[in-house]
Amino acid sequence: VRHSRVAMVSDDLIWACVRNNSSFLRKARKPNATFTSEPGNLTGKNSFKYSGLANSKTIDLKADGNALVLTTKVKDIDANSRKPKKMTRSTKLSKNARAVAKTLGNVSAGTFYRADLKQAAQARVSALAAAKTREYKPIAKAQRPRGKK
């Protein structure tokens, strides 16, 4: 059996195809306001810089109970180019928000992975931490005093 190598497509070509035609697009009522819900997009903006589909290196953060899950793309092209599940690596971060923000700084800028996403990733950590502290708690009704019988 002869195996042929699949030619990888450039990030710019993928972005040209995905920019206006994607199932993840969410168009707002304001003109020129297009958002996206694609995995790997930290801000939700439909731009090449934050795109999780078009970039070969992405950072994604999601809340999982009391911890955050950091997902990055793996650079092993030959083995995982056609296996989307194996293209990502996930790490569970269960420390406080400051420690997670420091870890993200080390992962993005410290290892030269995606230094331009450091600020967006740290903003996402603080937003997820704030949302975790504002969990829904039902308000108990105060009991009214009963009259004399």
Side-chain angles (χ1 to χ4, degrees):
V1 177
R2 190 175 129 193
H3 296 283
S4 63
R5 292 188 82 174
V6 176
M8 295 302 296
V9 181
S10 71
D11 294 346
D12 294 323
L13 183 60
I14 292 174
W15 175 245
C17 296
V18 172
R19 180 179 52 205
N20 294 324
N21 303 313
S22 173
S23 63
F24 297 108
L25 288 178
R26 306 288 182 255
K27 300 208 178 197
R29 291 184 183 181
K30 291 183 179 180
N32 300 328
T34 305
F35 300 100
T36 182
S37 62
E38 64 192 23
N41 191 326
L42 288 171
T43 60
K45 295 178 184 175
N46 188 32
S47 70
F48 177 70
K49 177 180 179 179
Y50 299 114
S51 177
L53 299 175
N55 284 310
S56 57
K57 295 180 178 180
T58 61
I59 296 174
D60 192 21
L61 283 168
K62 292 186 180 179
D64 183 29
N66 290 334
L68 294 176
V69 178
L70 170 68
T71 306
T72 56
K73 277 192 182 177
V74 179
K75 196 63 178 162
D76 190 10
I77 295 174
D78 292 334
N80 299 322
S81 61
R82 292 172 300 218
K83 300 174 185 172
K85 188 173 182 180
K86 292 186 178 182
M87 285 177 67
T88 59
R89 183 137 317 131
S90 297
T91 306
K92 199 169 194 177
L93 305 172
S94 58
K95 294 186 179 182
N96 59 8
R98 286 185 188 207
V100 171
K102 185 176 180 182
T103 302
L104 281 174
N106 293 338
V107 168
S108 62
T111 60
F112 304 106
Y113 187 72
R114 284 287 300 268
D116 58 331
L117 293 181
K118 179 181 176 182
Q119 187 175 5
Q122 289 176 342
R124 176 82 176 199
V125 166
S126 64
L128 289 172
K132 187 169 62 171
T133 59
R134 285 182 276 147
E135 290 179 356
Y136 173 73
K137 295 177 184 173
I139 300 171
K141 290 185 179 180
Q143 291 191 356
R144 292 188 277 160
R146 292 185 167 187
K148 291 183 179 180
K149 289 189 178 180

